[in-house]
Amino acid sequence: MEKSGTTPICEDIDLNRFKNTVSTSHDDDDPSSQLPENVEIFSKIIESRIAKCNSGETPTRLGKMTEEESFFLEAVMHLSKLTNVIAKSPSGSTLLSRTNIVLKQAMTFMEEELRTLLEDFGGNSNSKVDKKSQIEDYPWYPPEVVIRMNRIATTMISAGFETACCQVYSISRRNAFYEQMKMLEFEKINVDDVQKMSWDSLEGEITRWINVARNCSNTLFLAERRLGESVFSASPMISQSLFNNLARSIVIQILDFAEAVSWTKRSAEKLFKYLDIYDTIRDLIHAISESLSINDCEHELKSEILATRDRFGDAVINIFNDLEISIKNDAARTPVPGGAVHPLTRYVMNYLKYACEYKDALEHIFKEHTATSPSKLKSSVDEAESESPHENVVAETTPLTVQLMTIMELLDANLEAKSNLYRDTSLRDIFLMNNGRYILQKAKGSTEVRQVMGDTWCRRRSTTVRQYHKNYQRETWGKLLQILNHDGMQVNGKVTKPIVKERFKNFSTMLDEIHRTQSTWVVSDEQLRSELRVSISAVLIPAYRSFCGRFRQYLDNTKHADKYIKYQPEDIETLVEGLFDGNPTSMARRKT
């Protein structure tokens, strides 16, 4: 029946005649007259193809489906159908043995063919391109290879070789997926190793973990699902099952590392990486929900992911609670030199600034993981409304807003207590002004913080800073201006030299003392420093010029008049410009 040479046996066979024979056979038909011939023909087609491939006559590693291979797959399909017919025939034991042997050979052959296609034709196999390209192209297969894999898979499943087909595909794709993770520099680390790592080392591992998890969420899972849908297009339930199993094994490995991190000792410095992990897990939940079928596996896996995410949400809440406690307990016995911005203020505001870059995650965490006290929330809303009753602040007040307001209130109370360390009331106002201004500028300079706190809070904070400014102005310069008051300059209706001398002398003495003291005080914010100097000059210089214009004439002919009139009006501005520069020999100026 087979031609000589290398001509395929399929060229001598009228395949359509046998297709019709098989398709029109019924359970009650007596196939004895046709079965032996049909079995022999299809068996020889299959055996011939396998023999040629094994001998090297026909290359097995071709991506494109050849006519001969297509004929081979058809033969497997029909021999499988004949086997079903034979199995129901009481006299078909000999034929059944023959078909089983041939089909087993065909299964082994197709299994190896599918494995070869999966492993040798993936665009990423042994590729030397950069990691980003590998991820973007993953898992790239030429269209003709996908078609060929689809035909083989369809044939194997139809012929009863579903388990073998799925096993080959599953192992190959799982190995390929792990290779992608390895190229992203992710390695499995056990819980004990994570616990022993320094935070600096663990940060690097977390960064790699985030990269892997996000690539899984954004690219790899979707690519794997689409490949499976293409290869198993005739069996969507099998495709989904294979993807579910792969995704579950990968996700569990990803979660193992995250859970190990969640059990490490928490600290303030870990907040931002915790938030990165929280966001990454949220993306993973979305990816799993989009990709997995809605069944017990999906619900169970999603539940595990949520449990891990919630551990990080709880850790974030606890870190904020620790921050509140640390602010309350931050006592100091020595005031900051010159009334400068306190290190606690810098730390808290910079911490909140960076934290609010994760505003969306924090909003979600404080909404889902805390039960904000209704009275506390109402108190915050009422306070905001009292400042601006016509604004809709209620809709903008969230649990995160309440949390930040609580921290701000604790910081204010702490700074108020620290201000009492200064004996000089004016310096106390400078300290509160400096810190209040720093808090305001940090809040206004961060879009995220300003969105959380709201414009009403910023305006209220500005009013508070202005009040400190007024208090300082009144406490320091109000006393000096009293000396320049024209009241009390006359005795019995006449201005006398002794009174004039005393007033000028007292003014110069007090101004010298203010300059000597307050030139060592610090106002770091350039704009605030300029505002202070301008406001001082605006009230002091005109008052002194007026006083000089009215009373210096009484000392013009007096010997040593310059002993009493030490300063000219234009000298006052120079003195004021020397205020608030700090003392460079006793402290280092810190940048904002």
Side-chain angles (χ1 to χ4, degrees):
M1 185 176 294
E2 183 179 356
K3 289 186 177 182
S4 61
T6 60
T7 305
I9 190 171
C10 55
E11 292 181 0
D12 285 343
I13 298 175
D14 184 358
L15 184 62
N16 288 328
R17 179 168 67 86
F18 294 105
K19 287 181 182 179
N20 293 334
T21 299
V22 174
S23 63
T24 57
S25 296
H26 298 288
D27 292 345
D28 297 332
D29 291 341
D30 180 8
S32 58
S33 61
Q34 297 176 331
L35 281 178
E37 180 185 1
N38 292 349
V39 168
E40 190 62 25
I41 290 174
F42 287 126
S43 295
K44 287 190 175 182
I45 293 173
I46 295 167
E47 291 172 331
S48 174
R49 168 68 177 172
I50 294 173
K52 286 183 178 181
C53 289
N54 290 339
S55 66
E57 292 183 38
T58 302
T60 60
R61 299 193 175 187
L62 294 174
K64 189 175 182 179
M65 174 70 69
T66 63
E67 182 179 358
E68 185 174 7
E69 184 170 14
S70 181
F71 199 22
F72 164 79
L73 296 176
E74 291 271 356
V76 173
M77 292 275 284
H78 289 291
L79 187 61
S80 174
K81 291 180 180 179
L82 288 174
T83 301
N84 294 332
V85 175
I86 295 169
K88 298 176 182 179
S89 173
S91 59
S93 59
T94 303
L95 284 176
L96 186 61
S97 177
R98 167 73 165 146
T99 59
N100 283 338
I101 292 172
V102 175
L103 285 175
K104 187 174 182 180
Q105 293 174 341
M107 185 273 288
T108 302
F109 178 78
M110 288 186 294
E111 187 178 338
E112 187 58 33
E113 285 280 278
L114 181 58
R115 181 183 292 107
T116 297
L117 291 172
L118 285 165
E119 294 178 358
D120 288 5
F121 286 89
N124 300 317
S125 298
N126 300 318
S127 179
K128 298 301 181 183
V129 296
D130 63 85
K131 295 175 186 176
K132 183 178 180 182
S133 297
Q134 286 178 328
I135 295 300
E136 289 177 348
D137 294 339
Y138 176 86
W140 185 84
Y141 286 95
E144 60 270 18
V145 171
V146 176
I147 292 173
R148 189 176 170 194
M149 289 193 294
N150 172 269
R151 287 289 306 279
I152 293 174
T154 301
T155 301
M156 291 184 74
I157 293 169
S158 298
F161 306 139
E162 176 184 326
T163 301
C165 177
C166 291
Q167 187 174 25
V168 169
Y169 183 87
S170 178
I171 292 173
S172 176
R173 291 317 307 158
R174 185 169 300 186
N175 290 339
F177 207 107
Y178 285 147
E179 279 299 310
Q180 289 298 313
M181 296 174 73
K182 188 176 179 180
M183 283 191 290
L184 292 168
E185 301 178 351
F186 178 76
E187 296 182 5
K188 189 172 182 179
I189 304 175
N190 62 45
V191 176
D192 291 338
D193 290 338
V194 170
Q195 297 292 329
K196 294 174 184 176
M197 280 186 180
S198 68
W199 177 243
D200 288 343
S201 298
L202 190 53
E203 273 190 304
E205 295 298 333
I206 291 173
T207 298
R208 282 188 281 274
W209 176 88
I210 289 170
N211 187 31
V212 170
R214 285 181 175 167
N215 272 294
C216 288
S217 299
N218 300 333
T219 304
L220 302 183
F221 281 155
L222 180 61
E224 279 296 337
R225 183 169 63 82
R226 287 177 175 173
L227 176 64
E229 289 172 348
S230 298
V231 173
F232 297 93
S233 60
S235 306
M237 291 185 66
I238 292 176
S239 167
Q240 188 65 62
S241 176
L242 287 170
F243 176 76
N244 286 0
N245 292 336
L246 172 64
R248 179 174 177 78
S249 67
I250 299 299
V251 169
I252 288 175
Q253 187 174 139
I254 290 173
L255 291 182
D256 284 345
F257 176 80
E259 287 181 3
V261 174
S262 73
W263 292 115
T264 61
K265 185 178 180 180
R266 72 174 184 267
S267 62
E269 66 179 345
K270 295 181 180 180
L271 175 68
F272 309 110
K273 281 300 181 185
Y274 280 9
L275 288 168
D276 283 332
I277 293 174
Y278 188 90
D279 267 341
T280 302
I281 294 177
R282 288 178 70 192
D283 292 341
L284 193 61
I285 293 171
H286 178 73
I288 291 299
S289 298
E290 289 290 313
S291 300
L292 266 62
S293 60
I294 305 300
N295 55 27
D296 291 342
C297 171
E298 189 269 346
H299 287 304
E300 181 183 349
L301 187 58
K302 187 174 180 180
S303 177
E304 291 183 32
I305 300 173
L306 284 170
T308 303
R309 185 206 66 179
D310 289 347
R311 275 194 283 277
F312 283 96
D314 290 337
V316 168
I317 296 297
N318 288 328
I319 287 175
F320 271 89
N321 290 339
D322 292 344
L323 178 61
E324 290 184 24
I325 294 171
S326 68
I327 294 172
K328 290 178 183 178
N329 295 338
D330 188 82
R333 296 181 179 178
T334 305
V336 176
V341 177
H342 196 278
L344 177 65
T345 306
R346 294 181 185 276
Y347 175 80
V348 171
M349 292 311 300
N350 282 297
Y351 195 79
L352 294 181
K353 175 181 178 292
Y354 291 126
C356 282
E357 291 178 5
Y358 297 87
K359 174 179 171 290
D360 292 341
L362 286 171
E363 290 282 13
H364 188 268
I365 288 170
F366 280 100
K367 181 179 179 181
E368 296 292 325
H369 296 261
T370 60
T372 302
S373 167
S375 60
K376 186 176 181 182
L377 185 60
K378 185 176 187 302
S379 174
S380 299
V381 173
D382 290 344
E383 184 180 357
E385 284 185 329
S386 67
E387 295 292 332
S388 185
H390 301 296
E391 293 187 20
N392 182 19
V393 295
V394 178
E396 299 174 0
T397 304
T398 67
L400 177 59
T401 303
V402 173
Q403 176 63 54
L404 262 63
M405 284 186 173
T406 299
I407 291 174
M408 295 295 189
E409 289 168 5
L410 290 171
L411 180 59
D412 285 340
N414 186 288
L415 293 172
E416 186 69 35
K418 284 181 168 62
S419 72
N420 293 323
L421 295 171
Y422 297 99
R423 295 181 179 179
D424 191 317
T425 305
S426 295
L427 183 53
R428 188 180 305 159
D429 290 326
I430 288 291
F431 172 76
L432 293 172
M433 191 192 320
N434 270 326
N435 285 270
R437 179 67 165 232
Y438 186 88
I439 292 170
L440 178 63
Q441 293 303 98
K442 280 293 181 179
K444 291 173 68 175
S446 167
T447 302
E448 293 81 8
V449 174
R450 186 161 187 166
Q451 286 176 348
V452 173
M453 301 308 294
D455 290 338
T456 299
W457 180 88
C458 289
R459 283 194 294 272
R460 190 164 65 248
R461 177 68 56 172
S462 294
T463 301
T464 302
V465 173
R466 284 196 300 271
Q467 188 59 51
Y468 292 140
H469 186 163
K470 291 177 182 178
N471 293 345
Y472 161 77
Q473 194 97 345
R474 180 178 63 250
E475 185 66 29
T476 295
W477 303 102
K479 293 178 181 178
L480 188 61
L481 289 171
Q482 282 295 324
I483 297 175
L484 300 178
N485 196 311
H486 294 192
D487 295 342
M489 293 297 293
Q490 296 181 358
V491 177
N492 297 325
K494 293 183 179 182
V495 176
T496 62
K497 286 183 180 182
I499 294 178
V500 174
K501 288 179 181 180
E502 183 183 9
R503 289 292 185 95
F504 273 108
K505 183 179 179 180
N506 289 344
F507 176 83
S508 299
T509 300
M510 185 176 288
L511 182 58
D512 286 342
E513 178 60 22
I514 291 172
H515 182 266
R516 183 187 66 79
T517 302
Q518 298 196 12
S519 61
T520 66
W521 294 1
V522 178
V523 176
S524 304
D525 185 273
E526 292 184 7
Q527 183 179 350
L528 178 58
R529 187 165 62 245
S530 176
E531 290 173 1
L532 279 169
R533 289 170 176 171
V534 168
S535 65
I536 293 167
S537 296
V539 296
L540 184 59
I541 294 175
Y544 185 64
R545 181 176 285 113
S546 173
F547 189 84
C548 287
R550 174 72 175 82
F551 299 108
R552 73 175 297 157
Q553 59 181 313
Y554 295 98
L555 301 180
D556 283 344
N557 298 322
T558 302
K559 188 177 181 181
H560 305 303
D562 56 351
K563 176 181 178 181
Y564 303 100
I565 306 176
K566 185 176 180 179
Y567 298 107
Q568 300 300 319
E570 54 270 20
D571 297 330
I572 302 297
E573 187 171 358
T574 302
L575 286 173
V576 172
E577 286 297 314
L579 301 176
F580 316 122
D581 276 333
N583 187 341
T585 63
S586 63
M587 62 177 292
R589 291 292 302 280
R590 296 187 63 177
K591 295 182 179 179
T592 56

